[in-house]
mmCIF file of all heavy atoms in Angstrom:
data_model
loop_
_atom_site.group_PDB
_atom_site.id
_atom_site.type_symbol
_atom_site.label_atom_id
_atom_site.label_comp_id
_atom_site.label_asym_id
_atom_site.label_seq_id
_atom_site.Cartn_x
_atom_site.Cartn_y
_atom_site.Cartn_z
ATOM 1 N N GLU K 726 -31.300 13.286 10.367
ATOM 2 C CA GLU K 726 -30.454 12.262 10.967
ATOM 3 C C GLU K 726 -29.248 11.948 10.088
ATOM 4 O O GLU K 726 -28.143 11.697 10.584
ATOM 5 C CB GLU K 726 -31.285 10.995 11.215
ATOM 6 C CG GLU K 726 -32.357 11.197 12.285
ATOM 7 C CD GLU K 726 -33.436 10.127 12.246
ATOM 8 O OE1 GLU K 726 -33.607 9.501 11.175
ATOM 9 O OE2 GLU K 726 -34.100 9.917 13.280
ATOM 10 N N ILE K 727 -29.443 11.973 8.770
ATOM 11 C CA ILE K 727 -28.320 11.779 7.847
ATOM 12 C C ILE K 727 -27.305 12.902 8.025
ATOM 13 O O ILE K 727 -26.091 12.678 8.000
ATOM 14 C CB ILE K 727 -28.815 11.705 6.390
ATOM 15 C CG1 ILE K 727 -29.628 10.418 6.190
ATOM 16 C CG2 ILE K 727 -27.643 11.751 5.403
ATOM 17 C CD1 ILE K 727 -30.268 10.289 4.828
ATOM 18 N N GLY K 728 -27.785 14.121 8.243
ATOM 19 C CA GLY K 728 -26.877 15.246 8.480
ATOM 20 C C GLY K 728 -26.033 15.035 9.730
ATOM 21 O O GLY K 728 -24.839 15.344 9.742
ATOM 22 N N VAL K 729 -26.641 14.503 10.786
ATOM 23 C CA VAL K 729 -25.893 14.220 12.022
ATOM 24 C C VAL K 729 -24.830 13.156 11.770
ATOM 25 O O VAL K 729 -23.669 13.297 12.183
ATOM 26 C CB VAL K 729 -26.854 13.768 13.142
ATOM 27 C CG1 VAL K 729 -26.069 13.280 14.353
ATOM 28 C CG2 VAL K 729 -27.778 14.916 13.539
ATOM 29 N N ILE K 730 -25.203 12.074 11.071
ATOM 30 C CA ILE K 730 -24.255 11.002 10.774
ATOM 31 C C ILE K 730 -23.062 11.540 10.000
ATOM 32 O O ILE K 730 -21.894 11.305 10.355
ATOM 33 C CB ILE K 730 -24.939 9.878 9.961
ATOM 34 C CG1 ILE K 730 -25.959 9.142 10.825
ATOM 35 C CG2 ILE K 730 -23.899 8.895 9.415
ATOM 36 C CD1 ILE K 730 -26.834 8.167 10.044
ATOM 37 N N GLU K 731 -23.327 12.281 8.941
ATOM 38 C CA GLU K 731 -22.254 12.766 8.076
ATOM 39 C C GLU K 731 -21.421 13.839 8.768
ATOM 40 O O GLU K 731 -20.207 13.897 8.600
ATOM 41 C CB GLU K 731 -22.835 13.295 6.762
ATOM 42 C CG GLU K 731 -23.436 12.213 5.885
ATOM 43 C CD GLU K 731 -22.419 11.157 5.496
ATOM 44 O OE1 GLU K 731 -21.320 11.511 5.043
ATOM 45 O OE2 GLU K 731 -22.716 9.958 5.671
ATOM 46 N N GLY K 732 -22.062 14.701 9.543
ATOM 47 C CA GLY K 732 -21.315 15.743 10.234
ATOM 48 C C GLY K 732 -20.345 15.168 11.251
ATOM 49 O O GLY K 732 -19.175 15.562 11.307
ATOM 50 N N ILE K 733 -20.819 14.227 12.061
ATOM 51 C CA ILE K 733 -19.944 13.605 13.054
ATOM 52 C C ILE K 733 -18.819 12.839 12.365
ATOM 53 O O ILE K 733 -17.656 12.902 12.768
ATOM 54 C CB ILE K 733 -20.754 12.674 13.972
ATOM 55 C CG1 ILE K 733 -21.679 13.507 14.878
ATOM 56 C CG2 ILE K 733 -19.837 11.802 14.819
ATOM 57 C CD1 ILE K 733 -22.610 12.682 15.738
ATOM 58 N N ALA K 734 -19.146 12.115 11.297
ATOM 59 C CA ALA K 734 -18.148 11.313 10.606
ATOM 60 C C ALA K 734 -17.029 12.182 10.032
ATOM 61 O O ALA K 734 -15.833 11.921 10.240
ATOM 62 C CB ALA K 734 -18.812 10.505 9.489
ATOM 63 N N GLU K 735 -17.388 13.213 9.300
ATOM 64 C CA GLU K 735 -16.374 14.026 8.634
ATOM 65 C C GLU K 735 -15.572 14.871 9.621
ATOM 66 O O GLU K 735 -14.369 15.060 9.450
ATOM 67 C CB GLU K 735 -17.027 14.919 7.572
ATOM 68 C CG GLU K 735 -17.581 14.136 6.392
ATOM 69 C CD GLU K 735 -16.535 13.246 5.734
ATOM 70 O OE1 GLU K 735 -15.349 13.634 5.639
ATOM 71 O OE2 GLU K 735 -16.903 12.128 5.320
ATOM 72 N N SER K 736 -16.215 15.382 10.660
ATOM 73 C CA SER K 736 -15.465 16.172 11.638
ATOM 74 C C SER K 736 -14.505 15.285 12.423
ATOM 75 O O SER K 736 -13.399 15.713 12.767
ATOM 76 C CB SER K 736 -16.415 16.900 12.591
ATOM 77 O OG SER K 736 -17.236 15.989 13.295
ATOM 78 N N THR K 737 -14.895 14.047 12.670
ATOM 79 C CA THR K 737 -13.996 13.104 13.353
ATOM 80 C C THR K 737 -12.709 12.923 12.562
ATOM 81 O O THR K 737 -11.600 13.001 13.101
ATOM 82 C CB THR K 737 -14.681 11.738 13.522
ATOM 83 O OG1 THR K 737 -15.819 11.894 14.367
ATOM 84 C CG2 THR K 737 -13.732 10.727 14.148
ATOM 85 N N ALA K 738 -12.853 12.673 11.264
ATOM 86 C CA ALA K 738 -11.678 12.454 10.419
ATOM 87 C C ALA K 738 -10.758 13.655 10.430
ATOM 88 O O ALA K 738 -9.532 13.531 10.584
ATOM 89 C CB ALA K 738 -12.119 12.133 8.985
ATOM 90 N N SER K 739 -11.315 14.836 10.277
ATOM 91 C CA SER K 739 -10.490 16.016 10.145
ATOM 92 C C SER K 739 -9.800 16.403 11.442
ATOM 93 O O SER K 739 -8.620 16.759 11.453
ATOM 94 C CB SER K 739 -11.343 17.194 9.635
ATOM 95 O OG SER K 739 -11.829 16.918 8.346
ATOM 96 N N VAL K 740 -10.518 16.326 12.566
ATOM 97 C CA VAL K 740 -9.919 16.707 13.841
ATOM 98 C C VAL K 740 -8.794 15.749 14.221
ATOM 99 O O VAL K 740 -7.749 16.159 14.735
ATOM 100 C CB VAL K 740 -10.994 16.771 14.940
ATOM 101 C CG1 VAL K 740 -10.354 16.940 16.312
ATOM 102 C CG2 VAL K 740 -11.962 17.919 14.665
ATOM 103 N N LEU K 741 -8.977 14.467 13.938
ATOM 104 C CA LEU K 741 -7.932 13.493 14.273
ATOM 105 C C LEU K 741 -6.643 13.740 13.500
ATOM 106 O O LEU K 741 -5.564 13.358 13.950
ATOM 107 C CB LEU K 741 -8.433 12.075 14.004
ATOM 108 C CG LEU K 741 -9.230 11.431 15.137
ATOM 109 C CD1 LEU K 741 -9.853 10.131 14.685
ATOM 110 C CD2 LEU K 741 -8.339 11.189 16.347
ATOM 111 N N LYS K 742 -6.745 14.356 12.322
ATOM 112 C CA LYS K 742 -5.540 14.621 11.535
ATOM 113 C C LYS K 742 -4.582 15.563 12.261
ATOM 114 O O LYS K 742 -3.375 15.533 12.014
ATOM 115 C CB LYS K 742 -5.912 15.203 10.171
ATOM 116 C CG LYS K 742 -6.589 14.194 9.254
ATOM 117 C CD LYS K 742 -7.015 14.832 7.945
ATOM 118 C CE LYS K 742 -7.758 13.831 7.070
ATOM 119 N NZ LYS K 742 -8.236 14.434 5.813
ATOM 120 N N LEU K 743 -5.102 16.386 13.160
ATOM 121 C CA LEU K 743 -4.235 17.243 13.960
ATOM 122 C C LEU K 743 -3.255 16.404 14.760
ATOM 123 O O LEU K 743 -2.047 16.654 14.772
ATOM 124 C CB LEU K 743 -5.086 18.105 14.893
ATOM 125 C CG LEU K 743 -4.330 18.888 15.975
ATOM 126 C CD1 LEU K 743 -3.425 19.920 15.343
ATOM 127 C CD2 LEU K 743 -5.317 19.536 16.936
ATOM 128 N N PHE K 744 -3.765 15.374 15.424
ATOM 129 C CA PHE K 744 -2.928 14.546 16.289
ATOM 130 C C PHE K 744 -2.032 13.609 15.481
ATOM 131 O O PHE K 744 -0.872 13.417 15.817
ATOM 132 C CB PHE K 744 -3.809 13.760 17.256
ATOM 133 C CG PHE K 744 -4.629 14.639 18.154
ATOM 134 C CD1 PHE K 744 -5.941 14.962 17.835
ATOM 135 C CD2 PHE K 744 -4.079 15.180 19.302
ATOM 136 C CE1 PHE K 744 -6.690 15.792 18.652
ATOM 137 C CE2 PHE K 744 -4.820 16.000 20.134
ATOM 138 C CZ PHE K 744 -6.129 16.319 19.805
ATOM 139 N N SER K 745 -2.565 13.028 14.410
ATOM 140 C CA SER K 745 -1.755 12.100 13.624
ATOM 141 C C SER K 745 -0.637 12.831 12.893
ATOM 142 O O SER K 745 0.474 12.309 12.766
ATOM 143 C CB SER K 745 -2.626 11.332 12.638
ATOM 144 O OG SER K 745 -3.219 12.180 11.679
ATOM 145 N N GLY K 746 -0.912 14.040 12.422
ATOM 146 C CA GLY K 746 0.136 14.820 11.762
ATOM 147 C C GLY K 746 1.251 15.189 12.722
ATOM 148 O O GLY K 746 2.443 15.049 12.416
ATOM 149 N N TRP K 747 0.869 15.642 13.910
ATOM 150 C CA TRP K 747 1.863 15.976 14.938
ATOM 151 C C TRP K 747 2.680 14.754 15.322
ATOM 152 O O TRP K 747 3.906 14.810 15.428
ATOM 153 C CB TRP K 747 1.136 16.548 16.154
ATOM 154 C CG TRP K 747 1.997 16.716 17.375
ATOM 155 C CD1 TRP K 747 2.838 17.751 17.654
ATOM 156 C CD2 TRP K 747 2.092 15.809 18.485
ATOM 157 N NE1 TRP K 747 3.448 17.555 18.875
ATOM 158 C CE2 TRP K 747 3.012 16.377 19.404
ATOM 159 C CE3 TRP K 747 1.481 14.594 18.788
ATOM 160 C CZ2 TRP K 747 3.330 15.750 20.601
ATOM 161 C CZ3 TRP K 747 1.795 13.970 19.987
ATOM 162 C CH2 TRP K 747 2.716 14.557 20.874
ATOM 163 N N LEU K 748 2.000 13.617 15.506
ATOM 164 C CA LEU K 748 2.692 12.404 15.918
ATOM 165 C C LEU K 748 3.667 11.929 14.843
ATOM 166 O O LEU K 748 4.780 11.479 15.155
ATOM 167 C CB LEU K 748 1.672 11.307 16.234
ATOM 168 C CG LEU K 748 2.233 9.982 16.772
ATOM 169 C CD1 LEU K 748 3.054 10.210 18.036
ATOM 170 C CD2 LEU K 748 1.095 8.999 17.031
ATOM 171 N N SER K 749 3.294 12.046 13.581
ATOM 172 C CA SER K 749 4.212 11.616 12.516
ATOM 173 C C SER K 749 5.442 12.504 12.450
ATOM 174 O O SER K 749 6.542 12.041 12.134
ATOM 175 C CB SER K 749 3.488 11.591 11.171
ATOM 176 O OG SER K 749 3.266 12.887 10.661
ATOM 177 N N ASP K 750 5.274 13.797 12.767
ATOM 178 C CA ASP K 750 6.447 14.690 12.850
ATOM 179 C C ASP K 750 7.363 14.253 13.982
ATOM 180 O O ASP K 750 8.586 14.230 13.850
ATOM 181 C CB ASP K 750 6.005 16.135 13.084
ATOM 182 C CG ASP K 750 5.444 16.811 11.836
ATOM 183 O OD1 ASP K 750 5.702 16.306 10.730
ATOM 184 O OD2 ASP K 750 4.755 17.830 11.989
ATOM 185 N N GLN K 751 6.779 13.910 15.121
ATOM 186 C CA GLN K 751 7.567 13.519 16.281
ATOM 187 C C GLN K 751 8.297 12.187 16.054
ATOM 188 O O GLN K 751 9.433 12.007 16.478
ATOM 189 C CB GLN K 751 6.661 13.386 17.516
ATOM 190 C CG GLN K 751 5.980 14.685 17.926
ATOM 191 C CD GLN K 751 6.970 15.777 18.256
ATOM 192 O OE1 GLN K 751 7.771 15.637 19.180
ATOM 193 N NE2 GLN K 751 6.947 16.862 17.512
ATOM 194 N N MET K 752 7.642 11.269 15.366
ATOM 195 C CA MET K 752 8.232 9.961 15.092
ATOM 196 C C MET K 752 9.298 10.021 14.002
ATOM 197 O O MET K 752 10.200 9.194 13.962
ATOM 198 C CB MET K 752 7.143 8.967 14.660
ATOM 199 C CG MET K 752 6.135 8.617 15.732
ATOM 200 S SD MET K 752 4.694 7.716 15.061
ATOM 201 C CE MET K 752 5.497 6.295 14.316
ATOM 202 N N GLY K 753 9.152 10.997 13.094
ATOM 203 C CA GLY K 753 10.028 11.033 11.929
ATOM 204 C C GLY K 753 9.666 9.978 10.903
ATOM 205 O O GLY K 753 10.430 9.693 9.984
ATOM 206 N N ARG K 754 8.474 9.381 11.046
ATOM 207 C CA ARG K 754 7.989 8.354 10.125
ATOM 208 C C ARG K 754 6.502 8.545 9.885
ATOM 209 O O ARG K 754 5.761 8.942 10.782
ATOM 210 C CB ARG K 754 8.243 6.951 10.686
ATOM 211 C CG ARG K 754 9.708 6.597 10.874
ATOM 212 C CD ARG K 754 9.868 5.121 11.180
ATOM 213 N NE ARG K 754 9.486 4.316 10.030
ATOM 214 C CZ ARG K 754 9.252 3.003 10.087
ATOM 215 N NH1 ARG K 754 9.345 2.368 11.246
ATOM 216 N NH2 ARG K 754 8.917 2.329 9.008
ATOM 217 N N ARG K 755 6.073 8.252 8.648
ATOM 218 C CA ARG K 755 4.666 8.404 8.287
ATOM 219 C C ARG K 755 3.968 7.046 8.100
ATOM 220 O O ARG K 755 2.782 6.911 8.353
ATOM 221 C CB ARG K 755 4.534 9.198 6.980
ATOM 222 C CG ARG K 755 5.458 10.397 6.821
ATOM 223 C CD ARG K 755 5.143 11.542 7.733
ATOM 224 N NE ARG K 755 5.924 12.732 7.403
ATOM 225 C CZ ARG K 755 5.970 13.827 8.129
ATOM 226 N NH1 ARG K 755 5.281 13.916 9.244
ATOM 227 N NH2 ARG K 755 6.698 14.868 7.759
ATOM 228 N N LYS K 756 4.703 6.044 7.628
ATOM 229 C CA LYS K 756 4.077 4.777 7.224
ATOM 230 C C LYS K 756 3.325 4.064 8.340
ATOM 231 O O LYS K 756 2.224 3.548 8.097
ATOM 232 C CB LYS K 756 5.130 3.843 6.608
ATOM 233 C CG LYS K 756 4.544 2.514 6.142
ATOM 234 C CD LYS K 756 5.570 1.627 5.454
ATOM 235 C CE LYS K 756 4.984 0.266 5.102
ATOM 236 N NZ LYS K 756 5.952 -0.593 4.372
ATOM 237 N N PRO K 757 3.852 3.956 9.571
ATOM 238 C CA PRO K 757 3.100 3.214 10.590
ATOM 239 C C PRO K 757 1.690 3.753 10.827
ATOM 240 O O PRO K 757 0.743 2.974 10.964
ATOM 241 C CB PRO K 757 3.975 3.368 11.844
ATOM 242 C CG PRO K 757 5.357 3.564 11.313
ATOM 243 C CD PRO K 757 5.182 4.380 10.067
ATOM 244 N N LEU K 758 1.554 5.075 10.850
ATOM 245 C CA LEU K 758 0.231 5.662 11.053
ATOM 246 C C LEU K 758 -0.653 5.463 9.828
ATOM 247 O O LEU K 758 -1.867 5.240 9.943
ATOM 248 C CB LEU K 758 0.361 7.149 11.380
ATOM 249 C CG LEU K 758 0.973 7.449 12.754
ATOM 250 C CD1 LEU K 758 1.280 8.931 12.888
ATOM 251 C CD2 LEU K 758 0.038 6.999 13.864
ATOM 252 N N MET K 759 -0.049 5.543 8.646
ATOM 253 C CA MET K 759 -0.813 5.270 7.428
ATOM 254 C C MET K 759 -1.340 3.846 7.426
ATOM 255 O O MET K 759 -2.506 3.588 7.097
ATOM 256 C CB MET K 759 0.062 5.516 6.192
ATOM 257 C CG MET K 759 0.422 6.974 5.958
ATOM 258 S SD MET K 759 1.688 7.164 4.667
ATOM 259 C CE MET K 759 0.838 6.478 3.234
ATOM 260 N N LEU K 760 -0.501 2.902 7.805
ATOM 261 C CA LEU K 760 -0.905 1.494 7.819
ATOM 262 C C LEU K 760 -2.023 1.256 8.831
ATOM 263 O O LEU K 760 -3.003 0.544 8.550
ATOM 264 C CB LEU K 760 0.307 0.622 8.145
ATOM 265 C CG LEU K 760 0.124 -0.893 8.013
ATOM 266 C CD1 LEU K 760 -0.288 -1.267 6.597
ATOM 267 C CD2 LEU K 760 1.413 -1.610 8.401
ATOM 268 N N ALA K 761 -1.900 1.872 9.996
ATOM 269 C CA ALA K 761 -2.946 1.721 11.014
ATOM 270 C C ALA K 761 -4.272 2.309 10.525
ATOM 271 O O ALA K 761 -5.339 1.692 10.687
ATOM 272 C CB ALA K 761 -2.511 2.400 12.311
ATOM 273 N N GLY K 762 -4.211 3.479 9.925
ATOM 274 C CA GLY K 762 -5.434 4.135 9.468
ATOM 275 C C GLY K 762 -6.105 3.419 8.312
ATOM 276 O O GLY K 762 -7.321 3.170 8.338
ATOM 277 N N TYR K 763 -5.326 3.073 7.295
ATOM 278 C CA TYR K 763 -5.909 2.356 6.159
ATOM 279 C C TYR K 763 -6.428 0.981 6.583
ATOM 280 O O TYR K 763 -7.489 0.531 6.134
ATOM 281 C CB TYR K 763 -4.868 2.192 5.044
ATOM 282 C CG TYR K 763 -4.702 3.410 4.173
ATOM 283 C CD1 TYR K 763 -3.553 4.190 4.240
ATOM 284 C CD2 TYR K 763 -5.688 3.780 3.262
ATOM 285 C CE1 TYR K 763 -3.385 5.314 3.429
ATOM 286 C CE2 TYR K 763 -5.543 4.893 2.451
ATOM 287 C CZ TYR K 763 -4.383 5.659 2.539
ATOM 288 O OH TYR K 763 -4.233 6.760 1.741
ATOM 289 N N GLY K 764 -5.665 0.293 7.438
ATOM 290 C CA GLY K 764 -6.081 -1.035 7.871
ATOM 291 C C GLY K 764 -7.389 -1.006 8.641
ATOM 292 O O GLY K 764 -8.302 -1.802 8.383
ATOM 293 N N PHE K 765 -7.516 -0.060 9.577
ATOM 294 C CA PHE K 765 -8.722 0.001 10.396
ATOM 295 C C PHE K 765 -9.948 0.343 9.554
ATOM 296 O O PHE K 765 -11.000 -0.294 9.682
ATOM 297 C CB PHE K 765 -8.528 1.032 11.514
ATOM 298 C CG PHE K 765 -9.667 1.077 12.491
ATOM 299 C CD1 PHE K 765 -9.911 0.009 13.339
ATOM 300 C CD2 PHE K 765 -10.487 2.180 12.570
ATOM 301 C CE1 PHE K 765 -10.965 0.038 14.249
ATOM 302 C CE2 PHE K 765 -11.533 2.226 13.478
ATOM 303 C CZ PHE K 765 -11.772 1.145 14.309
ATOM 304 N N SER K 766 -9.824 1.347 8.673
ATOM 305 C CA SER K 766 -10.967 1.746 7.841
ATOM 306 C C SER K 766 -11.444 0.612 6.950
ATOM 307 O O SER K 766 -12.646 0.350 6.833
ATOM 308 C CB SER K 766 -10.585 2.951 6.966
ATOM 309 O OG SER K 766 -10.487 4.120 7.730
ATOM 310 N N ASN K 767 -10.501 -0.059 6.310
ATOM 311 C CA ASN K 767 -10.889 -1.096 5.358
ATOM 312 C C ASN K 767 -11.407 -2.353 6.048
ATOM 313 O O ASN K 767 -12.098 -3.162 5.430
ATOM 314 C CB ASN K 767 -9.711 -1.425 4.437
ATOM 315 C CG ASN K 767 -9.481 -0.333 3.408
ATOM 316 O OD1 ASN K 767 -10.385 0.018 2.653
ATOM 317 N ND2 ASN K 767 -8.284 0.233 3.379
ATOM 318 N N LEU K 768 -11.107 -2.501 7.334
ATOM 319 C CA LEU K 768 -11.658 -3.607 8.107
ATOM 320 C C LEU K 768 -13.100 -3.342 8.519
ATOM 321 O O LEU K 768 -13.948 -4.250 8.506
ATOM 322 C CB LEU K 768 -10.799 -3.838 9.360
ATOM 323 C CG LEU K 768 -11.295 -4.908 10.351
ATOM 324 C CD1 LEU K 768 -11.174 -6.292 9.736
ATOM 325 C CD2 LEU K 768 -10.504 -4.836 11.660
ATOM 326 N N ILE K 769 -13.408 -2.087 8.849
ATOM 327 C CA ILE K 769 -14.704 -1.773 9.449
ATOM 328 C C ILE K 769 -15.802 -1.498 8.430
ATOM 329 O O ILE K 769 -16.988 -1.772 8.665
ATOM 330 C CB ILE K 769 -14.556 -0.565 10.421
ATOM 331 C CG1 ILE K 769 -15.731 -0.493 11.405
ATOM 332 C CG2 ILE K 769 -14.421 0.746 9.665
ATOM 333 C CD1 ILE K 769 -15.660 -1.477 12.509
ATOM 334 N N LYS K 770 -15.452 -0.972 7.242
ATOM 335 C CA LYS K 770 -16.478 -0.523 6.287
ATOM 336 C C LYS K 770 -17.465 -1.592 5.846
ATOM 337 O O LYS K 770 -18.676 -1.312 5.744
ATOM 338 C CB LYS K 770 -15.810 0.087 5.054
ATOM 339 C CG LYS K 770 -15.326 1.506 5.253
ATOM 340 C CD LYS K 770 -14.719 2.071 3.987
ATOM 341 C CE LYS K 770 -13.519 1.292 3.526
ATOM 342 N NZ LYS K 770 -12.775 1.948 2.430
ATOM 343 N N PRO K 771 -17.028 -2.817 5.557
ATOM 344 C CA PRO K 771 -18.007 -3.811 5.096
ATOM 345 C C PRO K 771 -19.095 -4.139 6.106
ATOM 346 O O PRO K 771 -20.132 -4.705 5.742
ATOM 347 C CB PRO K 771 -17.135 -5.049 4.808
ATOM 348 C CG PRO K 771 -15.765 -4.514 4.559
ATOM 349 C CD PRO K 771 -15.644 -3.328 5.475
ATOM 350 N N LEU K 772 -18.903 -3.765 7.370
ATOM 351 C CA LEU K 772 -19.888 -4.068 8.404
ATOM 352 C C LEU K 772 -21.174 -3.267 8.261
ATOM 353 O O LEU K 772 -22.154 -3.524 8.969
ATOM 354 C CB LEU K 772 -19.279 -3.863 9.789
ATOM 355 C CG LEU K 772 -18.104 -4.790 10.136
ATOM 356 C CD1 LEU K 772 -17.609 -4.514 11.544
ATOM 357 C CD2 LEU K 772 -18.500 -6.250 9.978
ATOM 358 N N PHE K 773 -21.208 -2.287 7.336
ATOM 359 C CA PHE K 773 -22.485 -1.641 7.014
ATOM 360 C C PHE K 773 -23.522 -2.685 6.617
ATOM 361 O O PHE K 773 -24.728 -2.478 6.785
ATOM 362 C CB PHE K 773 -22.317 -0.639 5.865
ATOM 363 C CG PHE K 773 -21.673 0.659 6.260
ATOM 364 C CD1 PHE K 773 -20.510 1.090 5.641
ATOM 365 C CD2 PHE K 773 -22.244 1.473 7.230
ATOM 366 C CE1 PHE K 773 -19.918 2.296 5.981
ATOM 367 C CE2 PHE K 773 -21.658 2.687 7.579
ATOM 368 C CZ PHE K 773 -20.489 3.101 6.951
#
């Protein structure tokens, strides 16, 4: 079960980078996506 948790978690992060990288190229800006990503992660983690 730990393998399932970790596999889904890590593959989620990596696959999403395809879309966020493309979107940052299209926007010509990186910071808004960085702020959204860092903000969301740091908000959710303590809920463990």
